[in-house]
Amino acid sequence: MKILVTGAAGFIGHQTALKLLARGDTVIGVDNLNDYYDVSLKEARLQDIANHPEASHFKFIKLDLADTAATELLFKTEQPECVIHLAAQAGVRYSIQNPHIYVQSNLVAFTNVLEGCRHNTVGHLVYASSSSVYGGNAKLPFSEQDSVDHPVSLYAATKKANELMAHTYSHLYGIPTTGLRFFTVYGPWGRPDMSPFLFANAILNGVPIQVFNHGDMMRDFTYIDDIVEGVIRVADKPASPEGRSNAPYRVFNIGNNQPEKLMDFIGILENAFGRVAEKEFLPMQAGDVKATYADTSALEQWVGFKPYTPLKEGVARFVDWYQAYYKKA
């Protein structure tokens, strides 16, 4: 199958491309290589793909999906059978200071992707949503049936908007679309702006870890391999109508279904590195939520899979990669 993977130089996009190549798919990778975080890490991920035994079936195109004309040409030229849209401006806190970037990357670009699918008979669009859409919901675990009408960050609002936009295109044009609400993804090749990376860097450099809400937080940490497995299984099964809508549209949580206390997570990292972190306890930041916890029963029923990697095992793999990557660098 010929699959377009957007955000191919990103954390999840890189790993998704590798797994698709390994099973024999042709992958068109797109990324704008912006400088939200270290571009050299993105370039290293692309080089990792280039080193894959099936790299001849990978084509990379540097492109900003917010560029309407360029995105139209991409779809017209490449004619993908399936699109896995993982490109987005990420980060809850960053969205508060930089709102216009989120409008371009998460709304304008998503519109262009939807239009590309519409005009080029794409068989299935799978796109990244986020657990952030649940906002300040107090009911745990989070279920796809819960209301998500009260986002607490612009990032979350753009992801909720993506789900609404996808449903509209599914309804109007019959395009199968599936949104995946990711829960705190971590692992090798992870993003430097996320807590595992930030904490690891602080521990090794002897600087304080910033611990928000005084450590009283829980996250449903989900290992990257589990995320990628879920993404690909969902991509292989185009959405069909379900009870609340006649459109071929679905949304699924994809999380470990086992929230962990933030302080326990830090302890596991400390043990893996063999160092105790200095901690700076701070109040809750605007846009943050106290706890996330995914109900993954719908995903399991749909594709027969749920994330399962234990946190200690996943953290150990992350730490091994982190130390090897920076020693090499």
Side-chain angles (χ1 to χ4, degrees):
M1 185 183 296
K2 189 175 188 180
I3 301 176
L4 172 63
V5 176
T6 73
F11 178 25
I12 302 173
H14 157 242
Q15 302 276 37
T16 300
L18 288 174
K19 186 150 188 172
L20 290 171
L21 290 173
R23 72 173 199 172
D25 292 305
T26 296
V27 179
I28 309 301
V30 168
D31 204 292
N32 66 0
L33 296 177
N34 68 35
D35 61 357
Y36 169 61
Y37 62 79
D38 185 8
V39 176
S40 66
L41 177 59
K42 299 180 182 184
E43 292 170 340
R45 292 182 186 129
L46 290 176
Q47 185 58 51
D48 191 48
I49 298 173
N51 293 337
H52 192 278
E54 300 299 326
S56 61
H57 298 291
F58 178 77
K59 178 180 179 181
F60 177 70
I61 301 170
K62 184 179 179 182
L63 185 150
D64 186 346
L65 294 165
D67 183 333
T68 301
T71 305
E72 287 177 354
L73 182 61
L74 167 72
F75 275 86
K76 184 177 180 181
T77 303
E78 299 300 338
Q79 293 292 311
E81 298 166 76
C82 174
V83 175
I84 299 177
H85 179 56
L86 302 171
Q89 179 57 59
V92 168
R93 295 163 191 154
Y94 191 71
S95 70
I96 296 172
Q97 285 81 36
N98 302 274
H100 293 94
I101 295 174
Y102 287 76
V103 172
Q104 290 297 312
S105 296
N106 297 4
L107 298 180
V108 174
F110 193 65
T111 302
N112 291 339
V113 168
L114 287 169
E115 281 289 286
C117 293
R118 171 192 174 192
H119 292 293
N120 295 277
T121 60
V122 170
H124 191 196
L125 168 63
V126 178
Y127 61 94
S129 185
S130 169
S131 62
S132 298
V133 301
Y134 290 106
N137 285 17
K139 171 185 164 292
L140 297 173
F142 296 153
S143 165
E144 295 90 345
Q145 307 303 315
D146 295 340
S147 171
V148 289
D149 294 332
H150 301 94
V152 297
S153 70
L154 182 63
Y155 170 69
T158 63
K159 289 301 185 178
K160 167 64 175 175
N162 287 169
E163 295 179 4
L164 295 172
M165 294 160 73
H167 181 271
T168 301
Y169 273 69
S170 293
H171 171 76
L172 291 174
Y173 310 115
I175 304 166
T177 66
T178 304
L180 294 174
R181 294 173 177 170
F182 297 143
F183 282 69
T184 314
V185 189
Y186 76 100
W189 296 98
R191 283 190 2 229
D193 63 312
M194 294 189 70
S195 58
F197 221 107
L198 293 170
F199 292 169
N201 185 61
I203 290 170
L204 290 181
N205 288 286
V207 298
I209 288 175
Q210 292 187 327
V211 183
F212 294 103
N213 203 36
H214 305 282
D216 186 17
M217 301 179 78
M218 297 183 73
R219 289 290 181 267
D220 203 342
F221 293 99
T222 314
Y223 190 64
I224 181 62
D225 289 4
D226 293 334
I227 290 287
V228 171
E229 180 70 23
V231 167
I232 292 177
R233 288 201 189 200
V234 166
D236 287 342
K237 187 174 181 179
S240 59
E242 49 106 9
R244 295 179 294 172
S245 171
N246 291 323
Y249 165 89
R250 299 274 174 151
V251 171
F252 297 108
N253 291 334
I254 180 162
N256 214 44
N257 190 227
Q258 187 174 331
E260 304 281 351
K261 294 179 180 178
L262 180 61
M263 295 306 297
D264 290 346
F265 174 74
I266 293 172
I268 292 171
L269 261 181
E270 290 174 326
N271 289 334
F273 280 115
R275 299 187 187 184
V276 176
E278 184 180 346
K279 303 168 187 71
E280 179 184 5
F281 292 95
L282 299 168
M284 179 77 85
Q285 280 210 326
D288 251 343
V289 297
K290 183 176 178 180
T292 64
Y293 178 7
D295 177 348
T296 56
S297 56
L299 177 72
E300 186 172 10
Q301 183 177 4
W302 183 246
V303 294
F305 173 78
K306 62 180 292 185
Y308 60 88
T309 303
L311 185 62
K312 287 184 179 179
E313 182 178 326
V315 167
R317 293 177 191 171
F318 164 71
V319 168
D320 287 346
W321 169 82
Y322 184 95
Q323 293 177 318
Y325 177 80
Y326 280 100
K327 183 177 180 180
K328 182 179 180 181

